Amino acid sequence: ILNVEQSPQSLHVQEGDSTNFTCSFPSSNFYALHWYRWETAKSPEALFVMTLNGDEKKKGRISATLNTKEGYSYLYIKGSQPEDSATYLCARNTGNQFYFGTGTSLTVIP
Amino acid sequence: NAGVTQTPKFQVLKTGQSMTLQCAQDMNHEYMSWYRQDPGMGLRLIHYSVGAGITDQGEVPNGYNVSRSTTEDFPLRLLSAAPSQTSVYFCASSYVTGTGNYGYTFGSGTRLTVV
């Protein structure tokens, strides 16, 4: 099993705060790293797909970085809003198989 | 454009019963997969397919069968349901992901309870 680990498991922040969380993964046999946003009672939605060491992706107030050599990715949210409350999943792709972390549950308090 | 459609949304089975979870996509995605999601665990891959006629096992395939006769459909069969198969099941699809360059589109999930 090629473990993907996410930290912290859960996070509560005040509206307007910036925050970040971590996805760690084995650096061998790396193809791609995905981030998903999963709102309660909905399905996961793809945020970013990153493949190259040093990749940085941005969508609005959310951005992500990738370090394949040391096996980690950071997800940043700038100026958190209540609608950012969700579970953020990362997944490592090793070819045709994805291995998901257990997610970071973010709650933004108004 | 419906995306990925899963049916049913909820199902209760008795131990030993069989059933098929349906998954269909209309995006012409070659890659389709089934995951189960259990408390405290990440999404775990059950089976996947890289195209019609091709299927392969994922991380937790025991107790499940799949087939892929068309690009659009990827049903998951439970041959003899067990309480350990109580879970939420997600179907997901994407373009062929040999390099992992494409994100998944997920279905809305099927909540299965085996009593």
Side-chain angles (χ1 to χ4, degrees):
Chain A
I1 304 299
L2 303 174
N3 287 335
V4 175
E5 297 185 355
Q6 292 187 246
S7 62
Q9 185 175 357
S10 65
L11 193 56
H12 290 70
V13 300
Q14 291 293 133
E15 181 176 355
D17 286 351
S18 294
T19 187
N20 66 85
F21 18 94
T22 305
C23 173
S24 302
F25 52 87
S27 55
S28 60
N29 197 28
F30 177 85
Y31 280 77
L33 193 286
H34 293 212
W35 280 100
Y36 292 84
R37 170 191 161 88
W38 194 355
E39 293 183 71
T40 302
K42 294 188 178 179
S43 307
E45 294 183 357
L47 283 173
F48 303 116
V49 176
M50 295 183 288
T51 57
L52 299 176
N53 185 46
D55 260 357
E56 293 188 26
K57 296 284 178 87
K58 186 175 181 181
K59 185 182 291 187
R61 294 178 291 98
I62 304 177
S63 60
T65 60
L66 177 67
N67 183 323
T68 61
K69 292 183 179 179
E70 297 182 39
Y72 64 85
S73 175
Y74 294 136
L75 189 79
Y76 300 91
I77 301 178
K78 184 178 179 181
S80 302
Q81 299 297 308
E83 57 265 30
D84 295 329
S85 297
T87 296
Y88 291 84
L89 296 175
C90 69
R92 174 171 179 263
N93 176 272
T94 61
N96 283 323
Q97 299 201 28
F98 285 81
Y99 295 91
F100 281 84
T102 53
T104 292
S105 174
L106 174 67
T107 302
V108 181
I109 303 165
Chain B
N1 194 347
V4 178
T5 302
Q6 279 185 243
T7 56
K9 291 192 184 303
F10 301 94
Q11 183 71 48
V12 178
L13 286 180
K14 293 182 178 179
T15 297
Q17 285 186 316
S18 62
M19 79 160 294
T20 299
L21 307 185
Q22 301 291 344
C23 176
Q25 53 88 14
D26 61 359
M27 298 170 284
N28 204 30
H29 284 169
E30 297 95 338
Y31 185 92
M32 297 186 74
S33 56
W34 278 101
Y35 285 86
R36 59 179 289 172
Q37 196 254 332
D38 301 296
M41 307 189 79
L43 290 163
R44 292 183 293 168
L45 181 64
I46 304 171
H47 285 284
Y48 67 95
S49 168
V50 298
I54 306 169
T55 63
D56 210 342
Q57 295 181 352
E59 187 181 346
V60 288
N62 292 340
Y64 307 95
N65 280 354
V66 292
S67 60
R68 184 94 180 270
S69 56
T70 67
T71 299
E72 295 78 18
D73 299 298
F74 191 45
L76 178 73
R77 297 184 192 83
L78 284 69
L79 300 178
S80 178
S84 60
Q85 293 179 304
T86 294
S87 188
V88 181
Y89 292 84
F90 287 94
C91 178
S93 72
S94 77
Y95 293 107
V96 171
T97 164
T99 57
N101 280 337
Y102 299 100
Y104 274 141
T105 300
F106 280 86
S108 57
T110 297
R111 185 174 294 274
L112 175 68
T113 302
V114 182
V115 298

